[in-house]
Every structure is written in C-alpha cells, then in structure tokens.
Amino acid sequence: MKPERWEQVDQILAAALEREESKRPAFLEEAYAGDDALRREVDSLLVAYHRAEDLMEEPALEVAAKGLADEQVNSIVGRKVGSYNTLSVLGVGGMGEVVLAEDTTLGRKVALKFLPRVMQNEPAARKRFLREAQSAAALDHPFICKIYETGESDDKLFISMEYVRGETLKERLAKGALPFKEALQTALEIAEAVEAAHKRSIVHRDLKPENIMLTPDGHVKVMDFGLAKQLVSPMSGDSPDQTLTQGVSNTGIGLGTPAYMSPEQLRRKAVDTRSDVFSFGVVLYEMLTGVHPFKKDELLATANSILNDDPHPLSHYLSNVPPLLEHMVGKMLSKVPGRRYQLIHEIVTDLSEVMDSLSGPVEVLKHPGSVSAIRVPVHAAQTPWKRMVTVALFALAAGAVVTLIAVRVSRPPPAPLSLTQLSIVLPSDQQLNSVPPLPHVALSPDGRRVVYASTNGRLYLRPLDRLEATTIAEVQGEAGAPFFSPDGLWVGFVERFEGKRKLKKVAVSGGPPVTLCDISRLYGASWGAGGRIVFGQGPLGIFQVSANGGRKELLIPVSDREEARQPQLLPGGKAVLFMLCTDFPPHESPGNRNWDDARIVVQSLVTGERKVLVDGVVDARYVPSGHLIYVRGGTLVAQEFDSSKLKVTGEPAPLVEGIVWSTRYGAAQYGLSQAGSLLYLPAPSTEPGRRLAWVNRNGEEELLPLPPGPYLGPKISPDGSRLGITIEDPDNSDVWSYDLRRQTMTRITVDPARDLGALWTPDGQRVVFLSERDRGAPDFYWKAADGSGQAERLSTSARRMGPWPWSLSPDGKQLVYSQFDPQTSWDLWVLSLEGERRSRPLIQTRFGEYGAAVSPDGRWLAYASNESGNYEVYVRPFPDVEKAKIRISREGRRAPVWGPDGRELFYLSRGGTAMMVVRVEPEPVFTAGIPEVLFTGNFQFGAGRLYDIAPDGQHFVIVKKVDLGEGADTPTELVVVLNWIEEFKRLQRRN
C-alpha cells in the first residue's frame, strides 16, 4: 500500500472510530464512495481494532483489573487452601490469579491458579477455567507444564500445576536474540511440546514468549493451555458453549495476543493447528533475530502488519542463514493457512535437518534504520528453474515490465531479459470458478491483461499495471473457459444456465455479452486468425463458428471411441492442434479418463492427415516463439515445435512443477501470451482443502479434528460411532473408517484401484463401495468394516455404474444405484444381495436419476432427477416405483437424505449453500410439507454423497469447503511469469 493510500485509510478509520456506532455505517458508506478496495482495507482494520480492544499486549497477567489484584491475591497468601499452604504471589491475569504454594501432602512447591473473584459467578468463565485443566492435564510431555489437580476452596476454583523455576522467553528476549544454535534447540523443544498437544486435538491459540519458560537446566516448559481449543465431536455429549472458541462473557477479555495471532485469529475466522504454526513462526523469528517480524508502536498497526505485510527475510538480520531455515520461516508466516506447514511434526523434522547441516557460524548483522516489515508479493512454491532466478518486480508501466538498462555505445549489448515473477492475490469475492472441466484463466496476447471466471458468475479483467480487476461480464448462471481474440479486444467464454450452454463473447471494455451459438458441452476453445473460433465437444468432435456468431459447423470428426479437447488453430489456419482421448472402454462415460492414454495431435485441414506429437500428456498450447507447452502429471513442460513441418524437436524441459489441473477432465489452469509471458494457478501445497464438520440444526458448526484433505461421501454407521469416508487421490482413492469417539482412522480398502463410497450394512459389520479393481470396469463390492479379509464382488455389468453406491434397504437385501445408458443417460437400478445377486432397472427414463435414498421403513424412495430441466427431489413408493411420484423440492435441488424417523426429508439447495428440510407424513397417504431452509453454509458440492445425518436426528456431518482464512483448496493466487522463454533457452543451452 502506497503511503498516500495508507494515509487515506488511516484518516477514514480514525474518523469512523470517533463516531457513535449507530452513525458509523452511514459515514463509511459516504467515505468509501464506491471504492471496494478501500472498503476492504478499512473494514478489515475495524474488525482487527474491535478484536484488539479486549486483547491488549499483556493478556495473561495485565488484562485483569489491576486495581483489584493486590487485594484479591494478598487475601489468599498465607492461608491454607485444601492441602496447600499459600506462600507468595506469582502473577495476576485476566483468566487467573497465580500464587506459589506448598503441597503439604507430597512436600513439593506448586503453582495454584485461581479464577478471579470477578469471574466466579460467570458460568462461561468457570467452564472455561475447568476446561483449561482438562485440556492441559491430558498432556504429559517433558516440555509442557504439568497439571496436578483441580479443586475449590471458599467457592474459589483453582488448578494445582507444576511450579517452574527460571525466566520466561519474553524476559530472555529483552536482552536480545538467542545464540543461533540455542535458538534452534529451544524452538525444537517448543515444537515438540506443541506437537504433543496437536496429537490430542488441542490447539494452544496463545503461543507467545510469555507462555514459554526457560528452566535453569536449559530446557523449555510451554505453559497456559487455558486458551486451548479442544476439537470435539457433537456426538460426545459436549454442548456448543463448552468449546473454547467463545470468549468470557461480560468480562472484556478475549482470547489470544494480537502480536502473536495468526491472520485468521485477527479476522475472527475458525482456527486449527495451523494457527499455532503461524504463532510459532513469529516466536522463532524473534528468537533468531531479536526482532518481532510485525510489531509496531501501536496495537492497531501491529494487527494491520500481520494482516497485510511480509517481514524481512532472516538474511536481513543474520549472516549465513541456511536456505532451508529461511524457507521454513517464510512458510510458517504465510497469510494463507493452506500454504503453511500443515503438521508441526514437519517443522520438527526440518528443524532437526537444519541443525544437522550446520557447518559455519551464523551471526546477527547490525542493520541501521527501520526494522519495520516490508510489503512484497506472495510467490508460489519455487520450482527448480525458478530457484535459479529470484528477481523482484520493480516496475509495471502500461501493463508491460520496463527493464531499465543503461545503454552506452562503448558497452556490450544489453543482457537478455531476466525472468520475473508476479503474484496476483484474488479478493475473497472474486474466487475462481470450479476448476473442472475447463480452464478458467487466460492471458491476453500482449501479456498485459489477465481474465478469470469467478464463482459469482462474473468475468474479471485485471490489467497488470493496476491493483484491481473490473467486471466485464455478468451472467445468470456460471461463466467459464475465457479466451482472448487475437487482437486482445474481445473475450470469448461459455455460459451455463439451467443445464444449457451458450458460447458467448464480450468486449474487454465491458458491455452486454453477445451469443455466438448454442452448444451441448465444451472442452476448450480458442480464437484463431480470420475470425474463426474452434471448440472441442468431446465425443462429438471439434467444431467451428464465426466470431460474429451463426451456425456452428463440424470441423474435425472423431470415431466412436475418441474424444477431442482443447483445440487451437495453428498460424495460417491450415492445421488444428488438439488433445485426443482414445481407446476407452465402451462403459466409460465422459469426464472420467485415464490420461496416460491421451495424446497431443495435429491435424491438417487441407489433407486431413493426423500426426501424434506427444503421448501421455494433456492440454497443449502453441506459442509463436516456436514452442509447444503441455502438462504431464501436474508439471508444465515446454518443447520446441516446428509449425511448418508440424513436428516437435529437441528435448522437453519442465517449466513449472505443481500447477492446478483436473485429473478428471484433463484441463489445466494456465495461459500464454504471444509476448513470452505465462499465467498459471499454482497447485496448493496440501491435499484438496475440504474439512469434515458436525453441524447442528441451528447451523452451529464444529470441525472434526482432522486436517484439510480430499474427503468425499461421509456416511455415519448405524450405531453412530464411526464415519465411513472416501479419501480421494488421483491414482488410488480408498475407503476409510473414522472412530468418532477414539478419533482414529482405519483404512478399509488398500487395492491400487480407485475405491469410492462407504455404505454401511444395517448391522454395521461391512461397507459397500464401488471399485474398478477386477475388470477395469466399475463394480460394487463389500468388505469387513474393520478392513480385515478380502473384498467380495457383488455385481458385474456391461455398463458403467456409479458414481456412488446410493442406498441399502433397511433389511440390507437390496442396493439402489445409478447405471449409465447411452440412450437413457443415468438410470436407477436395484441389485439383489441375496441368491444370484441379479440387477433390474428401477427408474429408467431419458433423463438423469441420481442420489437415491430408501426410507428407514423401506417403503419409499427419494431421488433426484433433471426431468424438469433442473435437478429436483422426488419420492416414489419402493419397490413399486410406478404407483406414484411426488415432487418434493423446487428451484433445483439434489442429494436427498431421510431423517432417522422417516418423517423428514433433507436435501441441499442448488450450489450446496443451504440445507433444506421438508416434513413428510408417510401414512395413510404420503404427503409432503413446504420446503424450508434449515441452515446455510459453505459446503462442498458435486457428484456422490455429500453429507449424512446422525442417528439422533440433530446433527449432520458435512464435507465443508475451506474458507480462505482456514487455508483452502479454493484458488486464491495467480502467478504471472515474464520472459520465461529466455530462461527456457538458457537452460537448453546449458544442457
């Protein structure tokens, strides 16, 4: 942020705080004057300010009313409390008064922590105080302060804990940085302590130097787990107010310390173990350098720095810093949880590696002047060739990088343009559209502008010389697959609304989109010279349409066992480059491919000759520099290409390791300009960011104590004790069982084939799942729920089944599932699990039927069908489905689930943003009530089973999209690389 911009933000913030809260919104609306970026800056600081009002720099020992401290604590000193003689005052804080005492029974010194008198009548405070003891007492580790017992004396609650001699890390840091090796050893012990807590699903939430003691024998003791949050299941019996995400009511005391808070804490987002990783990174930085990476003179400025600034690298303060350590600290201090270490055990491992590799002294450098944080772009993970060149982006003028080179006649010619990288962080309201099945980002031919499709149905244009994007198109449904015209003045895209698709274009200056033609499906499009747009329609072949609109024409047909995707007209317009999918079994349906069988081909439009260029890769693009770019296993690869001879030459070389691409549809998220620039979406450093969460009927949410991961299809066992889930992997998805009480995972399937679904049998002894393990074709199997024994195949079909085992009848004798037919799309079938295990069609129409659920009494079948044009929920008698049909939902719904008593039917709204409920009366005649919103949320939406309801009928387990503040698989950053061609040539010459 420029100084003048910060001054504007500061002035508005100060003026807002001076006004009464009731008058503040009107003032701010006028001050923003339609400037959304200004609104985001000020609003985020207001949130941080109000968060900080209760979170002063000394929350543990100074926040409580100091005027009462001496009177309250001194009244305890010298008295007998249970079996303890109190000796002296150790400290007074908002959540406790601490005195030194002697345990007369065991003859040892202890620290007694009392709940302050002002809070004794606060039920929430008492609960939280006891939870502190319960959380910390569960931890038994040499580097964690031990809890001995809890008690009550004269109506005062107290905790007896280990008395630790020594000094706090805060007191030690007041003398300066720790010696380098001592800092690493101290950090290692802190990390091991926190790891022990995380293994018990306890998040400290207030990790800071004041809560770390340095003992005389040279070790650490991590203290004060009073702010810890224990992640519990609602099924355990705990009520929502027992979780420590809540502050103490009416006390003015919040949770955490601003200077060591993670960004998600300051923003009041839900936190998990990765919040402790950020705080640990701040502590480690301070131990190594003696400087806090974010701290300013004022509390608000410190909060703003944590939210918006990146600190100086360690090498700014230290000489000879190990590269791994510099990388570690930067990773810990990422603003986005998903880009941090996901497990603190990884930090323990890397710290040990750093310590083992030390060879020379590391000294603190003397830097005059300011040590404030600096603002730098957030870069993606460094790939091999990017690590060779680290160049800061100094200037962007008129959308192009101006390379400032002093040229004199007497000097040699200027050096080749250097590789430069720019990161574009997307605002929270402009997140990218769902990644499959199409690319949703594009780069203009001159490399000056980026266009991307958002989840809100808008296309955004972002010039590289500006800090904000503008909306150039807004549609009713979804917008996706943007691509530029050769002159860069138009953007083509696909609009999807109510199951229909249209190919459209819009001017980069904005205006109403223009419809070019209707399409049934789209697998990539490009705009060639001469006003022709070519687009892939999979098994239908490659089509073309005039850029002015009109009738679409078949350009390149394909055979029955081929699909054409991502086409591009080559220079001259006489040949088309595209991806060809071949040799897939007849039972396969579109959108599920083995990309080892895909190939990049070029076909002459003059002779019709087709050449195979590269096997086993996806999504190729040609650039005028004479290169073919494609994706192999998530790595972007470049290879020289002779467009006149239509052949690749030279050896392929990796450009970027880890870009986002769809393993289901083969489309990659990247774009290229004719000027030598590259745009791509970096793959997240973790598995896809989904969380499993309990949600009650009021919408109150509690995350399960599992890290973000690629979870699918949760299904609760009949007794409510276990959760069956699929953990998705591009190569080997498997079915797992999660014990909700013991919080342990058991792997049920281990076959290298993809296994999907975990449908419990009524007795809870087995799970039914879908797998391609035997025939390379999907069949249903079942296996013991504890993972023992072998899987038994239940079905054999010539057609594709799936994508999920939907429902078992209450007696466990019939399985309802979907099966694909080229003539009737997806139909509902039923498989008998007795005798010869025969299948028969249940509901077979020309529409798609999904998500079937048999009622608890076995008399009714709920399912979703698109017969009205949108997916809606219907109910029919079971198994005699032709006797009646009742429509349950309206305005597009799917994924029905019966309540345990069979008198409620739940389903997700379109887009997965709301849980709907309908009361039903199955007797004497089936009747349904009016659909109502039960609660709303940010839930994962897609194929397969999305949620389940617990046997108590009060809680749901749901696959939840990860919010930005929690670290997500939601794409939040685009990376632009300038002059990549020069770097590629340099690497080729060196090789």
Side-chain angles (χ1 to χ4, degrees), residues 404-559:
L404 300 177
I405 305 175
V407 181
R408 296 179 184 268
V409 175
S410 58
R411 294 187 179 181
L417 296 175
S418 59
L419 183 80
T420 307
Q421 179 178 304
L422 165 67
S423 294
I424 300 175
V425 179
L426 302 180
S428 60
D429 59 347
Q430 297 179 17
Q431 296 307 294
L432 287 187
N433 199 347
S434 302
V435 170
L438 303 167
H440 294 297
V441 298
L443 191 61
S444 63
D446 61 5
R448 297 182 179 187
R449 288 168 292 190
V450 171
V451 67
Y452 53 92
S454 175
T455 55
N456 58 18
R458 296 182 178 184
L459 285 182
Y460 289 95
L461 186 77
R462 165 72 184 271
L464 294 185
D465 62 341
R466 297 181 187 176
L467 298 178
E468 297 175 9
T470 57
T471 300
I472 60 171
E474 183 173 5
V475 301
Q476 286 183 294
E478 298 176 355
F483 55 97
F484 278 93
S485 62
D487 58 9
L489 299 180
W490 292 85
V491 174
F493 66 97
V494 62
E495 177 195 68
R496 178 180 176 182
F497 180 60
E498 294 184 343
K500 298 179 180 179
R501 298 174 178 85
K502 295 180 182 292
L503 193 63
K504 295 191 171 187
K505 70 175 182 178
V506 66
V508 295
S509 57
V514 178
T515 298
L516 301 178
C517 66
D518 293 333
I519 55 175
S520 60
R521 65 187 72 187
L522 183 72
Y523 293 113
S526 65
W527 196 319
R532 284 196 296 173
I533 294 175
V534 296
F535 53 95
Q537 293 205 267
L540 303 179
I542 295 174
F543 288 73
Q544 67 177 355
V545 68
S546 168
N548 295 320
R551 184 178 179 180
K552 64 181 182 182
E553 300 175 352
L554 179 62
L555 185 64
I556 298 178
V558 294
S559 71

Side-chain angles (χ1 to χ4, degrees), residues 485-686:
S485 62
D487 58 9
L489 299 180
W490 292 85
V491 174
F493 66 97
V494 62
E495 177 195 68
R496 178 180 176 182
F497 180 60
E498 294 184 343
K500 298 179 180 179
R501 298 174 178 85
K502 295 180 182 292
L503 193 63
K504 295 191 171 187
K505 70 175 182 178
V506 66
V508 295
S509 57
V514 178
T515 298
L516 301 178
C517 66
D518 293 333
I519 55 175
S520 60
R521 65 187 72 187
L522 183 72
Y523 293 113
S526 65
W527 196 319
R532 284 196 296 173
I533 294 175
V534 296
F535 53 95
Q537 293 205 267
L540 303 179
I542 295 174
F543 288 73
Q544 67 177 355
V545 68
S546 168
N548 295 320
R551 184 178 179 180
K552 64 181 182 182
E553 300 175 352
L554 179 62
L555 185 64
I556 298 178
V558 294
S559 71
D560 292 339
R561 302 183 68 177
E562 293 180 333
E563 286 191 11
R565 305 185 181 201
Q566 280 81 46
Q568 179 186 1
L569 273 171
L570 293 179
K574 296 182 179 180
V576 177
L577 176 78
F578 61 98
M579 178 172 68
L580 186 67
C581 311
T582 60
D583 298 329
F584 291 106
H587 61 265
E588 289 281 2
S589 64
N592 189 12
R593 297 295 184 244
N594 175 9
W595 300 113
D596 290 338
D597 293 331
R599 57 190 59 178
I600 303 302
V601 302
V602 62
Q603 182 161 331
S604 170
L605 297 179
V606 177
T607 66
E609 180 185 4
R610 181 184 297 177
K611 292 182 179 180
V612 176
L613 301 178
V614 190
D615 280 312
V617 302
V618 300
D619 203 349
R621 324 274 175 90
Y622 169 77
V623 287
S625 61
H627 294 90
L628 191 66
I629 314 298
Y630 50 81
V631 177
R632 188 191 297 275
T635 296
L636 200 63
V637 178
Q639 189 169 3
E640 293 179 349
F641 177 70
D642 188 331
S643 60
S644 63
K645 299 179 180 179
L646 301 180
K647 60 182 295 187
V648 291
T649 61
E651 294 298 322
L655 291 181
V656 179
E657 293 176 359
I659 75 165
V660 171
W661 73 294
S662 170
T663 57
R664 183 172 174 81
Y665 292 95
Q669 303 299 316
Y670 77 101
L672 297 158
S673 77
Q674 296 180 10
S677 295
L678 164 68
L679 166 72
Y680 71 94
L681 182 65
S685 58
T686 61

Side-chain angles (χ1 to χ4, degrees), residues 10 27 44 84 169 205 269 361 436 443 463 515 558 592 606 698 708 739 862 902 949 991:
D10 191 42
F27 163 76
S44 67
Y84 302 100
L169 180 57
R205 302 183 80 227
K269 297 282 188 179
L443 191 61
T515 298
V558 294
N592 189 12
V606 177
N698 295 323
D739 190 308
I949 189 168
N991 293 335

Side-chain angles (χ1 to χ4, degrees), residues 235-548:
M235 302 302 293
S236 68
D238 288 345
S239 60
D241 64 345
Q242 287 177 297
T243 64
L244 296 185
T245 58
Q246 308 296 322
V248 179
S249 60
N250 302 323
T251 64
I253 297 175
L255 305 181
T257 305
Y260 296 89
M261 277 184 177
S262 63
E264 56 267 30
Q265 282 181 287
L266 286 174
R267 290 192 171 104
R268 296 189 179 186
K269 297 282 188 179
V271 301
D272 55 25
T273 55
R274 296 170 298 181
S275 183
D276 282 350
V277 169
F278 184 92
S279 301
F280 176 80
V282 176
V283 173
L284 176 58
Y285 189 105
E286 196 171 3
M287 286 195 299
L288 292 168
T289 66
V291 177
H292 190 289
F294 304 108
K295 195 169 185 181
K296 308 291 184 180
D297 293 336
E298 296 181 359
L299 185 61
L300 187 58
T302 299
N304 176 62
S305 183
I306 292 174
L307 291 172
N308 297 300
D309 294 347
D310 286 332
H312 287 292
L314 292 180
S315 54
H316 184 79
Y317 301 106
L318 303 171
S319 66
N320 302 324
V321 182
L324 175 57
L325 182 62
E326 187 127 46
H327 168 76
M328 288 177 61
V329 173
K331 189 172 181 179
M332 291 181 220
L333 297 182
S334 171
K335 310 296 182 190
V336 181
R339 295 191 181 280
R340 295 179 205 145
Y341 284 92
Q342 301 300 289
L343 297 173
I344 205 160
H345 176 74
E346 299 169 352
I347 298 176
V348 172
T349 301
D350 285 356
L351 272 176
S352 300
E353 183 176 337
V354 170
M355 296 178 68
D356 292 341
S357 66
L358 291 179
S359 57
V362 178
E363 299 177 353
V364 178
L365 303 172
K366 302 298 181 182
H367 279 277
S370 171
V371 294
S372 61
I374 59 172
R375 297 176 186 270
V376 297
V378 181
H379 295 292
Q382 299 294 297
T383 60
W385 63 267
K386 281 196 281 185
R387 283 194 289 267
M388 303 176 188
V389 183
T390 305
V391 181
L393 186 60
F394 288 105
L396 286 173
V401 175
V402 179
T403 306
L404 300 177
I405 305 175
V407 181
R408 296 179 184 268
V409 175
S410 58
R411 294 187 179 181
L417 296 175
S418 59
L419 183 80
T420 307
Q421 179 178 304
L422 165 67
S423 294
I424 300 175
V425 179
L426 302 180
S428 60
D429 59 347
Q430 297 179 17
Q431 296 307 294
L432 287 187
N433 199 347
S434 302
V435 170
L438 303 167
H440 294 297
V441 298
L443 191 61
S444 63
D446 61 5
R448 297 182 179 187
R449 288 168 292 190
V450 171
V451 67
Y452 53 92
S454 175
T455 55
N456 58 18
R458 296 182 178 184
L459 285 182
Y460 289 95
L461 186 77
R462 165 72 184 271
L464 294 185
D465 62 341
R466 297 181 187 176
L467 298 178
E468 297 175 9
T470 57
T471 300
I472 60 171
E474 183 173 5
V475 301
Q476 286 183 294
E478 298 176 355
F483 55 97
F484 278 93
S485 62
D487 58 9
L489 299 180
W490 292 85
V491 174
F493 66 97
V494 62
E495 177 195 68
R496 178 180 176 182
F497 180 60
E498 294 184 343
K500 298 179 180 179
R501 298 174 178 85
K502 295 180 182 292
L503 193 63
K504 295 191 171 187
K505 70 175 182 178
V506 66
V508 295
S509 57
V514 178
T515 298
L516 301 178
C517 66
D518 293 333
I519 55 175
S520 60
R521 65 187 72 187
L522 183 72
Y523 293 113
S526 65
W527 196 319
R532 284 196 296 173
I533 294 175
V534 296
F535 53 95
Q537 293 205 267
L540 303 179
I542 295 174
F543 288 73
Q544 67 177 355
V545 68
S546 168
N548 295 320

